[in-house]
Amino acid sequence: MVSPKQDLPQGTLDMLILQVVALGPIHGYAIARRIQQISRDVLQVPQGSLYPALHRLENRKVLKSAWKASDTGRDAKFYSLTARGRRHLEDETASWARLSEAVALILQTAKGETP
Amino acid sequence: MTWWHRLWRRNRLETELDAELRDHVERQVAEEVRSGALEPVARRRARLQFGGLDQIKERCRDVRGTRWLDEIWQDLRYAVRLLAKHRSFTAVAVLALGIGIGINTAMVTMFIAHTVRGLPVANADRVLLLSTQDDRARRLGFSYADFEDARTASRSYEGLAAYTGVAAVIGDDDQPSDRYQGAYVSVDLFRLIGETPIAGRDFNADDDLLGAPAVAILGSSVWRSRYGADPATLGRTVRVDGRLVTVVGVMPDQFRFPNGANLWLPIAQMPELLERPRDVRGLDIVGRLVDGVSLEEARTEIDRIGSTLAAAYPASNAEIRFTARPINDRFNANDPVWDRFVQIGFIVLLVACTNVAGLLVMRSVSRTHEVSIRASLGATRWQLLRQLLVESAVLALAGGIVGLGVSTVGLRAIRRALGADGLPYWIEYTMDARVFGVLSVVCLGSVFIFGLMPAIHLSKTRSRGGLTAHGFTVAGEMHTRRLTGMFLIVQVGLALLFGAMLVKDLGEYRQSEWAMRVVDPVDLHTMWISLPGRTYPTDHERHRFYDRVTMQLDEIGTIDDVAVTSAVPFAPLGARQRQVALDVTAASMPDTLPSVLTVRVDDAYFDTLGLEVGTGRDFNQLDGTPGHASAIVNRRFADIHFPGTNPVGQRLQLHSGTMDDVTPWLTIVGVAPMMDQRAGPVPDPVVFLPSRGTPPVTAALIVRSSRTLTAVTAVIRETVQRLDPDLPVYRVRTMAQVLADARGGPRMSLQLFFVVASVALGLAAIGLYALTAHTVALRTQELGIRMALGAERGHVRWIVVRRVMTHVALGIGAGVALSTVLPFDTSAPTLAAGSALLAAAALAAASAPMRRATRFDPATVLRWE
């Protein structure tokens, strides 16, 4: 099941992770699945990037983690947002919105001028 | 989880990381199995998709930010194992570094104790010392009247307190009286400098009132030695200079302000305090600044107060300015000798570092192989360099620990040699944050000085692919040779400096020994008495007392001679420094007059010492009486001021402090031999004045007797106390002891220089020897080949000698250049002597490997490759 793979732009992985984690405590595998599902299989997060990113965010105290019993019966590491993470996510989303708006605007204008 | 946690809980982190990644794989397998795949297939696919588990783990570990520490930890273990394996190398390097760092730390400790730390006063930079200055910018104290006016007028201080040192006799009915250093102080002095008594109470405002009951505070050592630390001492009445005084407090152990004081009296008790004229400026003033007032503001204010008083009292204050400075500007030494100590400390360290650097370069030859292998296995240049630097750091750390021991032992020895009274009370040679800071910086810095160059040198190995049998390559060898050559030059240069300094210091020491030998100390005894102003208010009474003492002593058979003087030879105590104006230059009196020491002596002084007044005559009964204003000068004075002419019959005048304090013109009647009044390389010019005119308040008795000091002292004490029971005889010493004390200070610092310079010279010489031997040994093969090809033995020797001598010559050049840059007094002959010595050492070092090289069987040498 190799889906059409789309590389993530630099820095957006963190934001996506935060967005997914914001919905409630969640473990690494579920994060990867959730991103894949929500993006309708367009975005696939390689494990080689996911876990270093999770650990980095945790070290920066944007995420916190706890080992809890999961549906499989084994303990899994559940990540959740810290207060700082919540603020961070808001900032990131806002600036991402501004950025994509601006990019979209430029693209439209460019199309308009050179048909 | 903090950075530290991540470092310390590594094992737990590892387990969790593993569990988390495994969980991921398991979930993926489970999901695929749910959607119909067979488990082994699903597992294989999940593994493939997941990629290298260990790579992901590595990347997660990178994120922790502790990786470099893990690596350094590895380097550290490796370094320790390696150093432990090469024991003799490590021992030599650590010892050299330890000596270097130890001497450096000791010097820095002394420097900080003497010139930086200052009085142990809380917020010392907020405590100011006020003083006055006359028109010639000479620093004076305050008069009591000026002090009171300044205290009333100033707003910058929490309070101003005056103090002045005094020696006082404490008498009790149940034990003999004794003399102590003390001070008259304003009642709020202790509060201002943040000191409180350990027993009893501080002075209070009532003690300051004129006519208040007389009280005193004792130092804890007096309290212990004289009163057995008895709490009942508080409230006890004792006699201070014959006056009844109640003890109200005891100060802490280490507190001896201002100058080894052991007794404090309120300044209101100072005799005739209020009658003192405005131009008697004997008081020192301290004040603590009010919060928010800057030093500059306080200076401006005190300057303004000074000007106001100058306008109000032109007769006494016209030329007087008031100044303020932080108290420790005064109590910290300003002597360049401390700078020199520190410079020497750093140079010794540099010698030690060069030594170790040389050792490391030498060893690098045998390590080329190891480094080549590591480089071939993929170690980066930085990793190689880091490994080598970590090794150096371990060496430096071990050296630092040894150094700490060396400095502790050394300082303890120095402190003991200085004696109990050898240092002002506030100076302690202890480690503090500053010393420790310097020590750490020195250890770290030395890593770079001695470790960096060999490390860079060795880490270059990679590019040369030195994987030959012995790890030797010609290029590498050349480079090593160049480096060792450089270290050789530095070693020689530094060693030369120390050699020259040593020669010079020894010369000075000889000279000062010689200058002191004029007086034969055998059978001479000295002791002091001090006549209180209360019982001996005038010259007449003092004179009568001295006359009666000497007359009574003259009648005692065991005493051959006795003299009364204001100062004993070889000790500056009691000799007064004054300026001298000479009749011959009276026409154009210069602005700054030359200084002399003046000593008041009676007509038995020179006889008692066994000296003869060479030119002219000794004092007689008439000198000092009205109409007989005369003086005797010493040979040194005559040589300076009357070179080539006879000073007898010439006239001189003595000035001191303000210009008003001037003696009448005195006629020189004789020239005394050149004996030292105080220790030093050059004797001082001394003017002897007849004590008959103005007998000293505090006088030394010099007694010639073949009896022991104890016996002589008993006789003198009995005679003196028969005349005045409250008069202690103190500072009892044989002339030999006086002489030893006088040499003590300078001899101490000379010895210190001697030890330090010898150690440094020894270090440098050993380094020189090792490096020379090594550079020659490096060329053994080449020399063997030359021999095999038919070179003459003499020619081969010449090649070696030429090379060694080139380095030595360059080193000597560097040393001479350094000696002109650094503030060391070296002279051409000492430098030349040092150079010869070093050249000889280098040749001796070269000779053994050279002989070996010329005796090699060419076949053996050739088979080395």
Side-chain angles (χ1 to χ4, degrees):
Chain A
M1 55 150 272
V2 181
S3 1
K5 195 175 163 186
Q6 190 76 41
D7 280 340
L8 283 170
Q10 191 77 38
T12 48
L13 177 61
D14 287 5
M15 194 175 62
L16 295 183
I17 292 174
L18 291 181
Q19 187 68 50
V20 171
V21 174
L23 303 173
I26 186 168
H27 52 73
Y29 179 73
I31 293 174
R33 293 293 291 157
R34 190 70 57 81
I35 291 177
Q36 208 174 335
Q37 282 163 5
I38 295 176
S39 70
R40 299 194 190 91
D41 280 353
V42 173
L43 298 176
Q44 183 169 348
V45 185
Q47 288 83 345
S49 313
L50 175 67
Y51 285 96
L54 281 172
H55 286 213
R56 189 174 56 243
L57 290 171
E58 193 186 350
N59 288 344
R60 278 196 219 141
K61 298 200 165 58
V62 174
L63 291 181
K64 59 185 182 223
S65 70
W67 286 82
K68 278 191 269 190
S70 69
D71 48 344
T72 58
R74 282 191 309 273
D75 275 5
K77 195 177 180 188
F78 281 82
Y79 292 89
S80 52
L81 279 190
T82 61
R84 185 198 285 196
R86 211 163 288 285
R87 275 198 307 276
H88 189 70
L89 177 60
E90 278 165 23
D91 293 350
E92 289 282 289
T93 339
S95 73
W96 176 260
R98 270 201 309 280
L99 180 69
S100 57
E101 215 173 284
V103 172
L105 205 62
I106 290 169
L107 289 177
Q108 278 167 15
T109 320
K111 260 183 214 155
E113 279 169 5
T114 52
Chain B
M1 196 177 287
T2 65
W3 190 84
W4 270 114
H5 284 106
R6 294 203 285 280
L7 187 62
W8 292 121
R9 306 216 178 131
R10 220 174 47 182
N11 287 339
R12 214 190 78 197
L13 281 177
E14 284 297 317
T15 326
E16 285 187 7
L17 177 62
D18 190 66
E20 187 179 17
L21 296 182
R22 258 171 223 297
D23 183 58
H24 186 107
V25 175
E26 291 302 325
R27 280 171 197 278
Q28 191 156 349
V29 171
E31 193 176 314
E32 296 214 12
V33 168
R34 265 203 305 281
S35 55
L38 287 175
E39 203 199 304
V41 179
R43 190 167 290 281
R44 183 168 171 277
R45 207 183 287 160
R47 277 270 161 78
L48 272 177
Q49 199 192 344
F50 203 85
L53 197 64
D54 279 317
Q55 271 158 303
I56 295 181
K57 277 187 185 173
E58 277 294 293
R59 291 187 55 190
C60 288
R61 285 178 199 132
D62 276 346
V63 169
R64 278 181 216 155
T66 55
R67 165 173 297 278
W68 59 276
L69 261 171
D70 292 343
E71 288 176 1
I72 286 202
W73 178 236
Q74 243 173 28
D75 285 346
L76 213 59
R77 278 186 317 201
Y78 181 71
V80 170
R81 271 207 300 269
L82 203 73
L83 292 175
K85 202 177 137 208
H86 296 113
R87 261 183 226 120
S88 53
F89 163 82
T90 310
V92 171
V94 167
L95 205 67
L97 276 179
I99 290 171
I101 292 176
I103 287 181
N104 186 276
T105 307
M107 296 295 169
V108 170
T109 308
M110 288 170 71
F111 176 81
I112 285 180
H114 281 271
T115 68
V116 179
R117 203 181 287 149
L119 286 181
V121 170
N123 298 326
D125 53 329
R126 302 292 294 164
V127 178
L128 301 190
L129 190 77
L130 308 189
S131 45
T132 57
Q133 254 181 19
D134 69 3
D135 53 338
R136 287 206 233 154
R138 279 180 304 197
R139 227 185 264 285
L140 306 168
F142 264 72
S143 63
Y144 188 70
D146 281 352
F147 162 61
E148 283 295 356
D149 289 342
R151 176 148 73 168
T152 317
S154 70
R155 293 284 167 274
S156 304
Y157 305 93
E158 283 177 25
L160 284 179
Y163 66 87
T164 183
V166 65
V169 175
I170 300 183
D172 292 286
D173 292 334
D174 51 357
Q175 51 184 328
S177 53
D178 213 341
R179 208 177 120 94
Y180 298 94
Q181 276 304 310
Y184 285 111
V185 300
S186 296
V187 290
D188 46 357
L189 176 82
F190 296 152
R191 185 180 59 79
L192 288 175
I193 59 178
E195 292 283 347
T196 46
I198 47 167
R201 63 168 176 91
D202 196 351
F203 292 129
N204 60 34
D206 291 342
D207 302 328
D208 211 12
L209 300 174
L210 283 173
V215 292
I217 292 180
L218 295 180
S220 101
S221 71
V222 177
W223 182 48
R224 249 174 314 185
S225 63
R226 196 173 168 88
Y227 301 104
D230 182 2
T233 315
L234 297 171
R236 177 185 173 132
T237 307
V238 302
R239 286 197 305 276
V240 174
D241 285 342
R243 218 178 121 166
L244 291 176
V245 164
T246 308
V247 175
V248 296
V250 177
M251 292 307 281
D253 226 356
Q254 294 307 318
F255 182 75
R256 311 282 304 271
F257 187 86
N259 254 330
N262 252 321
L263 168 74
W264 294 270
L265 304 162
I267 202 162
Q269 288 175 32
M270 220 169 138
E272 287 130 30
L273 180 69
L274 295 181
E275 288 84 59
R276 282 176 186 240
R278 205 170 266 277
D279 59 357
V280 174
R281 302 190 157 88
L283 300 178
D284 287 304
I285 314 292
V286 289
R288 185 178 284 280
L289 287 176
V290 173
D291 285 341
V293 175
S294 73
L295 176 59
E296 269 324 301
E297 285 162 352
R299 278 193 171 141
T300 317
E301 186 196 58
I302 201 70
D303 190 56
R304 204 193 60 235
I305 293 172
S307 314
T308 315
L309 290 178
Y313 306 98
S316 57
N317 284 34
E319 309 292 343
I320 298 295
R321 291 187 50 224
F322 288 13
T323 60
R325 60 193 156 139
I327 191 165
N328 279 333
D329 280 10
R330 145 94 179 266
F331 284 91
N332 279 331
N334 201 9
D335 192 333
V337 75
W338 297 113
D339 300 346
R340 200 172 156 198
F341 271 134
V342 169
Q343 285 158 357
I344 287 184
F346 275 97
I347 290 180
V348 174
L349 182 65
L350 206 59
V351 172
C353 283
T354 334
N355 235 319
V356 177
L359 285 172
L360 284 172
V361 169
M362 278 187 244
R363 202 179 53 147
S364 73
V365 174
S366 52
R367 286 191 70 182
T368 322
H369 196 57
E370 169 212 335
V371 171
S372 308
I373 292 176
R374 293 188 58 195
S376 322
L377 291 177
T380 61
R381 176 99 189 269
W382 162 241
Q383 278 168 332
L384 290 176
L385 196 64
R386 192 186 57 201
Q387 162 69 50
L388 295 165
L389 281 182
V390 166
E391 261 179 67
S392 299
V394 172
L395 272 183
L397 185 70
I401 292 167
V402 172
L404 204 56
V406 167
S407 91
T408 311
V409 171
L411 285 173
R412 214 167 278 165
I414 291 171
R415 191 65 196 85
R416 214 176 18 243
L418 284 172
D421 298 324
L423 288 179
Y425 76 93
W426 68 88
I427 288 181
E428 281 178 85
Y429 293 156
T430 46
M431 176 65 97
D432 67 3
R434 277 172 289 228
V435 180
F436 193 77
V438 173
L439 173 68
S440 321
V441 169
V442 156
C443 283
L444 264 176
S446 61
V447 171
F448 288 95
I449 297 176
F450 73 73
L452 196 60
M453 223 167 344
I456 289 176
H457 165 60
L458 197 51
S459 66
K460 273 189 191 152
T461 304
R462 170 197 170 90
S463 55
R464 286 191 224 108
L467 265 178
T468 52
H470 279 280
F472 276 114
T473 60
V474 176
E477 206 181 308
M478 286 296 287
H479 190 71
T480 307
R481 210 191 281 167
R482 215 174 306 137
L483 257 188
T484 46
M486 209 177 72
F487 288 130
L488 248 174
I489 292 169
V490 175
Q491 291 267 352
V492 171
L494 293 174
L496 177 61
L497 267 188
F498 278 108
M501 248 161 51
L502 250 178
V503 172
K504 178 172 176 288
D505 284 346
L506 276 180
E508 265 180 22
Y509 185 51
R510 284 269 164 70
Q511 200 182 337
S512 70
E513 290 260 276
W514 178 84
M516 289 190 160
R517 244 175 243 148
V518 179
V519 172
D520 183 1
V522 174
D523 287 347
L524 287 176
H525 311 268
T526 69
M527 57 207 70
W528 290 73
I529 45 179
S530 188
L531 306 181
R534 185 178 303 278
T535 28
Y536 303 89
T538 63
D539 285 346
H540 176 70
E541 271 121 357
R542 287 193 280 270
H543 199 259
R544 227 164 61 104
F545 178 80
Y546 293 135
D547 265 356
R548 284 168 68 188
V549 169
T550 44
M551 261 155 60
Q552 296 201 6
L553 286 174
D554 279 341
E555 280 164 24
I556 296 170
T558 54
I559 303 222
D560 300 336
D561 275 311
V562 58
V564 177
T565 166
S566 67
V568 299
F570 317 121
L573 187 82
R576 215 171 137 198
Q577 185 130 31
R578 294 203 253 196
Q579 285 73 45
V580 65
L582 296 172
D583 204 8
V584 285
T585 57
S588 56
M589 182 100 71
D591 226 22
T592 49
L593 297 168
S595 280
V596 290
L597 290 175
T598 62
V599 180
R600 273 174 278 168
V601 302
D602 63 4
D603 45 21
Y605 179 77
F606 293 106
D607 281 347
T608 308
L609 288 178
L611 296 177
E612 215 159 287
V613 177
T615 319
R617 61 168 178 85
D618 198 348
F619 286 135
N620 59 32
Q621 294 281 327
L622 280 175
D623 288 307
T625 56
H628 297 272
S630 47
I632 291 177
V633 299
N634 71 346
R635 173 51 53 199
R636 174 82 182 153
F637 182 97
D639 288 348
I640 293 176
H641 298 292
F642 300 98
T645 57
N646 185 358
V648 173
Q650 302 283 358
R651 298 199 307 161
L652 59 83
Q653 192 181 43
L654 297 164
H655 300 244
S656 63
T658 53
M659 289 295 284
D660 309 334
D661 188 2
V662 175
T663 63
W665 284 97
L666 309 169
T667 309
I668 299 173
V669 296
V671 179
M674 178 153 55
M675 63 174 190
D676 267 5
Q677 193 58 49
R678 58 178 171 188
V682 185
D684 290 290
V686 182
V687 173
F688 296 97
L689 303 171
S691 61
R692 193 162 298 275
T694 44
V697 173
T698 298
L701 298 177
I702 302 180
V703 182
R704 181 175 285 281
S705 165
S706 53
R707 298 301 172 90
T708 63
L709 182 64
T710 324
V712 173
T713 313
V715 171
I716 306 278
R717 189 163 275 152
E718 196 205 308
T719 312
V720 167
Q721 294 189 342
R722 203 167 43 228
L723 292 169
D724 184 343
D726 244 355
L727 214 54
V729 172
Y730 60 95
R731 213 177 291 130
V732 177
R733 283 175 177 77
T734 62
M735 187 60 86
Q737 284 168 340
V738 172
L739 201 54
D741 285 354
R743 282 195 203 136
R747 192 180 51 182
M748 197 42 223
S749 68
L750 265 176
Q751 276 174 342
L752 199 60
F753 273 126
F754 186 79
V755 168
V756 170
S758 312
V759 168
L761 192 62
L763 272 180
I766 292 170
L768 183 64
Y769 186 92
L771 278 173
T772 311
H774 176 73
T775 39
V776 175
L778 267 186
R779 303 188 69 189
T780 309
Q781 196 184 358
E782 176 207 331
L783 299 177
I785 292 172
R786 282 176 189 269
M787 293 289 292
L789 294 176
E792 294 274 327
R793 217 158 257 206
H795 180 65
V796 168
R797 284 207 187 112
W798 169 239
I799 292 176
V800 174
V801 170
R802 193 181 51 192
R803 177 151 193 94
V804 171
M805 284 301 124
T806 312
H807 286 145
V808 171
L810 282 172
I812 287 171
V816 171
L818 267 180
S819 75
T820 56
V821 177
L822 295 175
F824 293 142
D825 309 321
T826 45
S827 59
T830 56
L831 284 173
S835 309
L837 193 80
L838 288 170
L843 270 186
S847 70
M850 188 163 68
R851 206 172 317 126
R852 220 178 320 132
T854 49
R855 283 197 194 142
F856 265 128
D857 176 12
T860 322
V861 171
L862 287 173
R863 236 176 283 128
W864 266 20
E865 268 298 289

